Amino acid sequence: MTFDYDLFVLGAGSGGLAASKRAASYGAKVAIAEQDLVGGTCVIRGCVPKKLMVYASHFSHFYQDAVGYGWSPVEATFDWSKLVQAVDGEVRRLSRLHISFLEKNNVELFHGQARLVDDHTVAVDDRTFTAEKILIAVGGEATKPQIPGIEHAITSREVFLLPLQPKRLAVVGGGYIGTEFAGVFNGLGTEVFQVVRRGLILRGFDEDLREEVQTGMVKKGVNVLSDTTIEKIEKVPEGVRLVLKGAKDNSLVVDTVLYATGRSPNLEGLGLETAGVETAKGAIVVNEWSQTSQPHIFALGDCTDKVNLTPVAVAEGRAFADTQFGNKPHHISYENIATAVFSQPEACTVGMTEIAANAQYGEDGVKVYRTRFRPMIYALPNVDEKILMKLVVHKETDRVLGAQMVGKDAAEIIQCVAIAVTMGATKKDFDATMALHPTSAEEFVTLP
Ligand code: NDP
């Protein structure tokens, strides 16, 4: 049987782009379909525009801190619409760049909504194509709980293009997105209320890290409403009124309410049943080779709901292409994946948390090294912000099982620590590394 393509990819996000280019580099005839801008969540309404907005929000502190270094105070004003326009311009530039990469790699791009017609046929709007292998990389979408008035709430899909900067914003959720956007808008001068249904944000992260980030955010001015849920949202002339349960006050009026309560795979209308692709808990079921229940159909990235991070989708995509088209079979490891929350203060982690290590090796089997200090940059402006660093070490082997950091440049520093952790470095290896002075990072190699 002959097919139109060796590989047809549904979704031109991080995973789909990586897989299609790598497969084409091995000589495969590849097509990719995308209904939105090329680039996916990360480029269009995720990591990239978010990080740009995080940078934008830092400037208010830079200006204040500069005074401690002898600069005269700056009367700076901020224009939200200029930021939105600049960020949108960058997103579109990157999207065009990704299209040019596809062209250079001879990957054919189809704009339109793709679905499976049968296990070897893909329809893009009203055109159909056959393919020997199919890869589903359609990503995920923000979800909102079904409470009365939820239609008045926005998600991370709309936040980047808000026409006006909210004066008062409620952010619901204490995960990555909620915590990052609470920091962004607070830094830009919005009055922010982060509504969290537990005592602490960032469930699943190291306990000291959670505490440090939350305390740091509150110090910077974010109103964290812990142990609070929203029962109802009402439109009122001043904006929206949130009916709260658990908070001191039982209602809160804000201009905008942003829900960041999780994301789920984008599987609606994909035709998975018709093609015999199994799902479970709303996600496509795959094995370690990204293979679905239909052996020649594969899926990766957020639509499989394994580890929903861009670099993971990219690595899965490349491993899939190497295996299926490059005669270099391998699959990725999900251990020691470094992850950062671009909150303010920033938080980053790799490997095991203290709790996870204790659960695996017992408290007596684990040694935790911890330090907390004010980085040098904050001395002259007298900023009360600390850095927290932790190493979790296996006593028997001296191996560093995990590292956590909160504070300035945490993500940049942990990325390099992650190499050592992935290589199985011991605490002695850290200690034998000459310190680079004066830096904050040197504390990781001088922990007593
Ligand atoms: P998360 O799963 O990280 O966090 C969701 C938050 O919403 C949690 O605090 C959760 O509380 C809370 N929540 C869930 N349901 C409700 C509800 N019904 N009412 C009130 N609160 C609720 O999701 P995000 O949307 O923040 O992010 C989605 C994913 O995107 C992340 O998990 C991550 O994989 C990825 N991402 C990664 C980023 C990065 O790498 N920097 C940045 C942004 C996103 P509880 O803890 O109690 O369940």
Side-chain angles (χ1 to χ4, degrees):
M1 187 168 173
T2 57
F3 299 98
D4 298 330
Y5 294 98
D6 298 320
L7 173 67
F8 203 106
V9 181
L10 283 73
S14 304
L17 288 169
S20 61
K21 286 183 293 182
R22 182 65 64 94
S25 76
Y26 294 123
K29 189 175 180 209
V30 184
I32 190 166
E34 175 58 57
Q35 59 183 353
D36 203 332
L37 285 178
V38 167
T41 303
C42 175
V43 175
I44 311 303
R45 57 183 75 87
C47 327
V48 171
K50 178 274 310 285
K51 189 80 189 278
L52 293 170
M53 288 195 168
V54 169
Y55 284 135
S57 70
H58 282 168
F59 283 93
S60 51
H61 304 295
F62 289 166
Y63 292 139
Q64 283 164 24
D65 297 354
V67 177
Y69 283 93
W71 293 90
S72 43
V74 174
E75 281 299 319
T77 56
F78 170 69
D79 185 332
W80 168 258
S81 61
K82 277 191 186 154
L83 175 66
V84 167
Q85 212 181 346
V87 170
D88 188 52
E90 176 61 4
V91 162
R92 286 173 191 277
R93 185 187 73 81
L94 290 174
S95 180
R96 286 193 299 274
L97 201 63
H98 281 295
I99 293 175
S100 73
F101 292 154
L102 290 177
E103 284 165 358
K104 266 193 207 127
N105 285 278
N106 295 319
V107 176
E108 257 183 274
L109 171 65
F110 295 99
H111 286 286
Q113 194 174 15
R115 70 191 155 83
L116 301 172
V117 177
D118 63 42
D119 66 319
H120 278 292
T121 312
V122 177
V124 183
D125 293 336
D126 50 4
R127 303 171 70 180
T128 55
F129 307 93
T130 57
E132 186 180 1
K133 288 174 182 162
I134 293 172
L135 175 66
I136 307 168
V138 291
E141 187 56 80
T143 55
K144 295 190 277 192
Q146 285 316 307
I147 60 161
I150 194 70
E151 66 278 10
H152 304 305
I154 63 163
T155 66
S156 55
R157 173 170 273 275
E158 295 89 20
V159 73
F160 296 107
L161 296 172
L162 272 181
L164 293 173
Q165 179 184 359
K167 285 197 173 59
R168 285 161 66 89
L169 170 76
V171 177
V172 188
Y176 283 86
I177 299 179
T179 303
E180 290 180 340
F181 275 104
V184 165
F185 280 97
N186 181 57
L188 296 178
T190 293
E191 190 179 5
V192 177
F193 301 85
Q194 188 175 5
V195 185
V196 185
R197 65 181 177 183
R198 294 172 195 271
L200 275 182
I201 56 172
L202 298 176
R203 180 168 63 88
F205 283 81
D206 176 83
E207 292 301 303
D208 290 336
L209 177 151
R210 297 174 71 191
E211 190 95 46
E212 190 76 22
V213 175
Q214 186 155 321
T215 310
M217 289 176 68
V218 170
K219 245 188 224 164
K220 283 175 184 285
V222 176
N223 303 286
V224 179
L225 308 184
S226 303
D227 298 311
T228 302
T229 51
I230 298 179
E231 298 202 307
K232 191 162 67 161
I233 304 171
E234 296 164 345
K235 193 110 189 77
V236 290
E238 313 89 279
V240 283
R241 193 170 87 90
L242 314 177
V243 177
L244 305 175
K245 190 174 160 204
K248 201 165 69 205
D249 300 316
N250 56 12
S251 85
L252 174 70
V253 176
V254 291
D255 304 315
T256 308
V257 53
L258 166 66
Y259 264 76
T261 49
R263 298 174 56 82
S264 64
N266 256 334
L267 306 187
E268 221 181 292
L270 263 189
L272 296 176
E273 269 179 35
T274 341
V277 175
E278 275 176 24
T279 61
K281 294 186 189 154
I284 299 176
V285 178
V286 287
N287 62 16
E288 71 269 38
W289 301 98
S290 297
Q291 191 174 35
T292 70
S293 51
Q294 193 60 271
H296 59 277
I297 300 184
F298 300 79
L300 50 81
D302 288 7
C303 65
T304 60
D305 203 15
K306 282 164 123 184
V307 179
N308 299 333
L309 298 172
T310 296
V312 174
V314 170
E316 287 172 340
R318 290 182 180 154
F320 154 78
D322 290 345
T323 304
Q324 296 299 323
F325 298 97
N327 202 20
K328 294 177 204 157
H330 68 105
H331 54 73
I332 76 162
S333 160
Y334 293 89
E335 264 179 51
N336 294 326
I337 296 171
T339 179
V341 186
F342 293 100
S343 46
Q344 298 174 45
E346 192 167 287
C348 194
T349 172
V350 62
M352 282 186 163
T353 61
E354 185 179 345
I355 288 182
N358 285 345
Q360 182 151 341
Y361 300 106
E363 277 185 39
D364 290 343
V366 175
K367 180 150 191 206
V368 176
Y369 297 82
R370 189 188 279 107
T371 182
R372 195 168 173 270
F373 59 96
R374 181 166 77 173
M376 194 194 244
I377 192 170
Y378 295 143
L380 296 190
N382 200 19
V383 174
D384 180 21
E385 190 176 322
K386 300 277 198 299
I387 280 180
L388 169 78
M389 285 175 174
K390 270 178 91 169
L391 280 185
V392 180
V393 177
H394 184 215
K395 264 193 194 162
E396 192 189 323
T397 59
D398 196 40
R399 201 157 72 83
V400 177
L401 302 169
Q404 284 88 35
M405 178 171 170
V406 176
K408 196 162 168 20
D409 304 323
E412 302 290 348
I413 292 170
I414 290 285
Q415 175 66 89
C416 297
V417 173
I419 302 171
V421 174
T422 305
M423 290 176 74
T426 60
K427 175 69 169 56
K428 276 195 193 69
D429 294 323
F430 274 65
D431 296 343
T433 305
M434 194 62 76
L436 212 166
H437 189 69
T439 62
S440 297
E442 69 179 312
E443 298 293 327
F444 266 126
V445 298
T446 55
L447 280 167

